[in-house]
């Protein structure tokens, strides 16, 4: 929830004004809701009226919804969408790492791509990650580094409190700039790809809904406080990544912390993507596809793929925006609401059906708007 997207929230407020504060709260509520209904789709009532977990993954939910049309169609669509989004996330971390290393050591005569290769070398041990427990330990360290970054930025902002003014907020906003803000805010909360695995690995799955409520609540509070203090400090001078606004003596420290965070963030989407692909390949009866060596090969291939794409795809940021608009909106809004309606229609109240349909329509509009803006940006660049 507290990913690198958080650093773009003050910039989102610059382009969305007061409505941005409302969007941060609304996005938290919607993403929390779609997370709950997605997990609800994993369960069915048995003969005694008790809920039993009959599905394990996002793919299982999709297959259950599409079984009348094609037994495996839904799972294929979901898996492709998940893997594309996860790989793009991994590539983004490599690109960001190269950029941060280049900024931190400007006097070293090396290109960003060369720095990305160096960052890639530090990620090679990822091929040996076999369990979610190891990933969770790295994620804990990632969270610690993130809070250090937030603490440094907010502490500096509080020292500038005498410059704060609510007049810096916009009352009128440009529609296209507003759409960019919507994308940044919504996608800073997305986690639906990981939720079925997370819930299945919890010691007490019954506490999942409570956990989701509290994590989204605290994420919302932290995002709002961070975005607000940073924007009130720099106003119209707020940059896309807020750390670029810091004075030079703090920038190097924060950039190195961001680099550490990016490298520690990489294993989670990498592990999730490789597990999905390996599970799909090894379903056959051929023993070679279930060997540890084959799993190592899959992970190694994915690691190399992320490096090659990070180095050779031009205008990656715009491509990432296009992909994120499709896969992010689909996995966060469209599919959870659609699957919930399909599997639970007879048991849903009128308000629940209305909520699911509203979320689906909102997700579709976000997806469409994001695609239009991203394609427009790509066309302008290629012109």
């Amino acid at each position: 929830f507290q990913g690198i997207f958080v650093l773009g929230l003050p910039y989102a407020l610059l382009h969305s004004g007061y409505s941005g504060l409302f969007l941060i709260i609304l996005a938290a509520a919607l993403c929390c809701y779609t997370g709950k209904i997605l997990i609800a789709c994993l369960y069915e009532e048995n003969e005694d009226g008790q809920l039993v977990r009959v599905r394990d993954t996002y793919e299982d939910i999709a297959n259950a919804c599409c079984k009348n049309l094609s037994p495996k169609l839904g799972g294929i669509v979901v898996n492709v969408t998940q893997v594309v989004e996860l790989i793009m996330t991994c590539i983004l971390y490599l690109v960001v790492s190269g950029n941060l290393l280049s900024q931190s050591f400007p006097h070293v005569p090396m290109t960003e791509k060369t720095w990305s290769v160096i960052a890639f070398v530090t990620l090679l041990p990822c091929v040996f990650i076999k369990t979610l427990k190891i990933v969770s330990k790295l994620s804990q360290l990632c969270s610690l580094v993130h809070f250090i970054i937030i603490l440094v930025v907010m502490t500096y902002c509080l020292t500038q409190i005498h410059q704060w003014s609510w007049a810096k907020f916009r009352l009128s906003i440009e529609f296209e700039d507003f759409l960019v803000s919507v994308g940044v805010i919504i996608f800073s909360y997305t986690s639906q790809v990981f939720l079925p695995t997370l819930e299945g690995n919890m010691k007490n799955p019954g506490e999942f809904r409570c956990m989701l409520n509290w994590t989204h609540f605290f994420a919302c509070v932290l995002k709002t406080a961070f975005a607000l203090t940073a924007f009130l400090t720099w106003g119209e001078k707020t940059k896309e990544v807020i750390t670029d606004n810091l004075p030079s003596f703090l920038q190097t420290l924060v950039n190195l912390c961001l680099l550490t965070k990016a490298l520690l963030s990489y294993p989670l989407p990498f592990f999730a993507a490789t597990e999905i692909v390996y599970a799909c390949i090894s379903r056959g009866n051929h023993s070679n596809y279930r060997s540890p060596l084959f799993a190592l090969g899959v992970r190694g291939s994915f690691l190399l793929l992320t490096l090659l794409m990070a180095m050779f795809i031009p205008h990656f940021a715009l491509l990432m925006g296009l992909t994120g608009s499709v896969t992010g909106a689909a996995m966060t809004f469209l599919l959870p609401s659609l699957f919930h309606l399909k599997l639970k229609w007879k048991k849903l109240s009128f308000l629940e059906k209305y909520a699911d349909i509203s979320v689906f329509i909102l997700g579709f509009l976000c997806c469409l708007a994001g695609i239009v803006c991203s394609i427009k940006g790509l066309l302008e660049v290629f012109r």
Side-chain angles (χ1 to χ4, degrees), residues 7-35:
L7 300 175
L9 289 179
Y11 185 74
L13 282 189
L14 172 65
H15 290 296
S16 57
Y18 286 101
S19 61
L21 296 174
F22 173 72
L23 281 173
I24 292 174
I25 300 170
L26 179 63
L30 290 176
C31 291
C32 183
Y33 174 74
T34 56

Side-chain angles (χ1 to χ4, degrees), residues 303-325:
L303 199 65
L304 188 59
L305 176 66
T306 58
L307 174 66
L308 293 175
M309 292 183 72
M311 293 185 69
F312 297 114
I313 293 182
H315 313 302
F316 178 76
L318 287 171
L319 185 61
M320 182 72 185
L322 177 59
T323 307
S325 297

Side-chain angles (χ1 to χ4, degrees), residues 41-294:
C41 292
L42 298 173
Y43 291 83
E44 295 289 349
E45 288 186 1
N46 61 13
E47 295 176 355
D48 299 324
Q50 297 176 325
L51 288 175
V52 179
R53 201 176 203 262
V54 296
R55 304 176 188 100
D56 294 317
T57 63
Y58 214 138
E59 178 190 3
D60 293 338
I61 298 171
N63 283 333
C65 291
C66 299
K67 63 182 180 182
N68 294 331
L69 184 63
S70 175
K72 296 183 179 180
L73 176 62
I76 292 171
V77 172
V78 164
N79 280 339
V80 170
T81 304
Q82 285 186 95
V83 170
V84 168
E85 183 175 10
L86 291 166
I87 288 178
M88 284 294 188
T89 304
C90 289
I91 298 167
L92 181 63
Y93 286 135
L94 272 178
V95 172
V96 166
S97 297
N99 179 263
L100 290 170
L101 280 167
S102 177
Q103 289 181 18
S104 301
F105 306 102
H107 303 297
V108 179
M110 294 172 66
T111 64
E112 283 189 21
K113 290 183 178 180
T114 307
W115 282 118
S116 293
V117 174
I118 293 173
F120 169 80
V121 172
T122 67
L123 294 169
L124 288 175
C126 288
V127 298
F128 301 107
I129 295 176
K130 297 179 181 178
T131 65
L132 197 61
K133 186 175 287 187
I134 298 172
V135 176
S136 71
K137 297 296 182 184
L138 295 173
S139 293
Q140 283 182 324
L141 291 173
C142 179
S143 298
L144 178 62
V145 173
H146 179 82
F147 280 114
I148 292 172
I149 297 168
I150 296 297
L151 184 64
V152 169
V153 175
M154 290 190 70
T155 300
Y156 177 80
C157 290
L158 290 172
T159 64
Q160 307 297 312
I161 197 170
H162 58 279
Q163 298 180 5
W164 289 10
S165 171
W166 287 96
K168 295 177 180 179
F169 272 94
R170 287 188 179 190
L171 292 176
S172 60
I173 53 177
E174 295 292 331
F175 182 67
E176 285 192 16
D177 291 340
F178 178 74
L179 288 179
V180 172
S181 301
V182 171
V184 171
I185 291 169
I186 289 176
F187 295 128
S188 71
Y189 283 103
T190 55
S191 62
Q192 275 68 6
V193 172
F194 309 108
L195 293 185
T197 303
L198 177 62
E199 195 261 358
N201 281 275
M202 285 180 71
K203 189 177 292 184
N204 299 306
E207 296 178 355
F208 178 82
R209 293 175 69 89
C210 179
M211 177 276 293
L212 213 60
N213 287 335
W214 281 109
T215 48
H216 278 82
F217 171 75
F218 283 118
C220 180
V221 170
L222 286 169
K223 288 178 196 294
T224 304
F226 177 74
L228 195 57
T229 55
F231 176 71
L232 287 174
T233 301
W234 287 289
E236 293 291 329
K237 296 180 180 178
T238 300
K239 296 181 180 179
E240 288 187 44
V241 180
I242 198 61
T243 52
D244 291 342
N245 282 101
L246 291 171
S248 56
F249 70 92
L250 284 177
Q251 263 194 28
T252 302
L253 170 65
V254 172
N255 281 345
L256 290 174
C257 287
L258 281 171
L259 171 66
T260 305
K261 176 178 170 56
L263 295 176
L264 289 171
S265 298
Y266 184 96
L268 179 58
F270 174 79
F271 176 80
T274 52
E275 283 295 293
I276 291 169
V277 172
Y278 180 64
C280 292
I281 295 174
S282 62
R283 277 179 191 150
N285 296 322
H286 203 294
S287 59
N288 289 339
Y289 291 156
R290 297 194 297 274
S291 68
L293 191 61
F294 180 74

Side-chain angles (χ1 to χ4, degrees), residues 357-377:
I357 293 170
S358 299
V359 169
F360 181 85
I361 293 172
L362 182 63
F364 177 77
L365 293 176
C366 285
C367 180
L368 186 64
I371 290 171
V372 170
C373 287
S374 298
I375 291 177
K376 184 178 179 182

